[in-house]
Amino acid sequence: MFWNMLLLALREIKRNVLRSVLTTIGIVIGVAAVITMVTIGGGATKQIKQMIEGLGSNLVVISPGKRMGPGQSTDVIPFSLADVEAIYRDINAVAAVSPVSTISFKAIFSNQNWTTQVTGTDNQYFNVTNRTIKSGRLFNESELRIGSSVCIIGETVRQKLFGGQVALGEHIRLQKLNCEIIGILDEKGQNTMGMDQDDMVVIPIITYQRRIAGNLYISLIQVSVQNGASTEKVQRDITHLMREQRHLSDSDDDNFTVTDMKEIARMLTSTTKMLTGLLSAVAAVSLLVGGVGIMNIMLVSVTERTREIGIRLAIGAYELEVLMQFLVEAVALSSLGGLIGIFLAIGASIFLSGVLRVPFIFNANIVGVAFLFSAVIGVIFGYFPALKAARMTPIDALRHE
Amino acid sequence: MTMPVVSEKERKPLISLKGMIKVYGAGQATMQALRGINVDIDEGEFVAVMGPSGSGKSTCMNILGCLDTPTSGSYCFKGLNVGNLSRVYRTRLRRFYFGFVFQGYDLLSRTTALENVELPLIYRKEPSKARRAKARKALEIVGLKGWEKHTPGELSGGQQQRVAIARAIVTEPTVLFADEPTGNLDSARSREIMDLLTGLNRDKGVTIVMVTHETDMAAYAKRVVHFVDGLVSSDETCGR
């Protein structure tokens, strides 16, 4: 019975090559478009999330000067190590606080030189920014206290200055400062703004202040908030504390800015999500248009098919056999279209994720949904006109105009 | 092939129509196509049904072939009351006992002659080898050897009708119903088709019921039934 129906369905597909191909293409395009859009969109969202997580979770950044706005002048009063200690001591729910001062400098090793970002900070910095050491070690207590000439370098700097050579234990020169490499950071790649996060040299903050800046200032304070604690509250507390530290009266504006990185993260994530939603909506429309195309092809051929069904009934086909044949045909075409669409979508997604530098994430749900949708359309519009015809008396179907 | 078996001792006619009425439409717009037809047809007969258009001859044939259902009246095939049969059993009658040839050939387009002829055998679940052999033989009988791979679009009207006849006889039916089989053909082609039908009737004992409005064609039959306005007006058996 089944083989018979398969034989009849295959003959039907062979007879109506154009109709079959058009039906299949409708499904292929719809399925491929939806899956590709959702996969790429999902990859982009994932990428942005990874980047944000890379920033350091629950990061709050305190910078001197007020939030810039139109017609405002900036009177920058830098922070000091006392501010860092005050925050660590007085604010609850703070996991780590690190002072950060940076300057762009030329790093020199033998005859190689490379302009990079020199950061003065302490060991907390690595916790706050989620960095780990690939080889070597962190600064030790005495190095931090006395301001030794030691540094930890990023992968980009290591490559530019040392290439294949061993960097650990060597000395690089930062202007007048000649410092020993005690550690190499794990790679992190670009950040959200496209900056290379491995292009850096980290030295103790005291070393930075004494040997490079020549003052006791700190340009930024980075605070990481304990997991589960409210960053908003920490933000408020820090503002309050800093106003006290700086002896601001009630009428004075803040002359510093406390930024919650989570806020920025949320903004970026919601933007990507919105874009993904938009793309998916466009793709869903193409799936729908594909469906309408199938509908069109199937309904146009109803008259021809009704007469064929009449012939089959007259020759001695059961109603059930005719229906099974058309069902098998519809399912075969829809599944074929769906499968081609899925392979096409996976190919396109891998290609696009390569071009757009977005991770490829296979989303089984959307593949299932798109496949089911197309199959249902194919079956409904392939099967139901046949159902109507097969229920007629044979002569009515045969003489259908 | 589960058909209720009828005892052979009672010499009943193959086909027996009593008070057959067919009404089309509903309410005021009704049209009585058949107004009480009584006809008996024996096995092995070649009956031509004649009459002007609208006299109900095609309607009657469609009911005989179980392609249509009567409004009232009884139809017995081999002593079996067809009126009591379900759709499935009427389909079985068509599948195992009837063959059809229509005026418009009604072949599956874009399908080769061989596949068209194979079609009824597929529904009879014949294995593919036997199926192909029988279909080739049937095409040979109707004189289309070598035309197996041609589709209806590549065949002339006469050839298409011969494919249709091959499709009807490939199952070796008890009765062959032909509705104006020569209606679309010129006289030379018509004679070929009629010779083919008479041959089948004579050599294979196939009962043939043929609807026609051409006296020339009716002359091939052993018996001619005339229809006028949904009633039988005359029923003559000629001594050929």
Side-chain angles (χ1 to χ4, degrees), chain A residues 4 11 14-16 304 311-319 321 390-392 394-395 398-399, chain B residues 62 67 87 91-92 94-95 100 102 106 108-111 115 118-120 122-123 125 131 167:
Chain A
N4 254 336
R11 283 197 176 177
K14 199 180 82 188
R15 282 184 62 212
N16 303 295
E304 195 200 347
I311 294 173
R312 290 174 191 277
L313 291 174
I315 277 172
Y318 294 132
E319 189 183 317
E321 288 175 318
R391 291 214 168 135
M392 294 181 183
I395 195 69
L398 204 51
R399 298 285 164 253
Chain B
N62 291 337
L67 295 176
R87 222 182 131 98
T91 303
R92 284 195 189 168
R94 291 197 298 272
R95 181 180 290 188
F100 294 95
F102 299 104
D106 285 312
L108 289 186
S109 54
R110 304 187 294 282
T111 305
E115 284 179 344
E118 273 184 68
L119 200 58
I122 293 178
Y123 288 117
K125 321 259 186 308
R131 192 174 70 214
R167 184 181 65 186

Side-chain angles (χ1 to χ4, degrees), chain A residues 128-142:
Chain A
V128 172
T129 54
N130 273 357
R131 302 297 302 248
T132 46
I133 296 285
K134 185 161 74 177
S135 57
R137 58 173 176 88
L138 293 178
F139 305 119
N140 63 31
E141 276 306 312
S142 71

Side-chain angles (χ1 to χ4, degrees), chain B residues 41-54:
Chain B
I41 297 170
D42 285 324
E43 194 149 6
E45 278 198 285
F46 188 162
V47 183
V49 180
M50 292 200 67
S53 32

Side-chain angles (χ1 to χ4, degrees), chain B residues 52-69:
Chain B
S53 32
S55 61
K57 52 191 194 301
S58 285
T59 305
C60 185
M61 201 206 78
N62 291 337
I63 290 172
L64 288 179
C66 292
L67 295 176
D68 207 351
T69 47

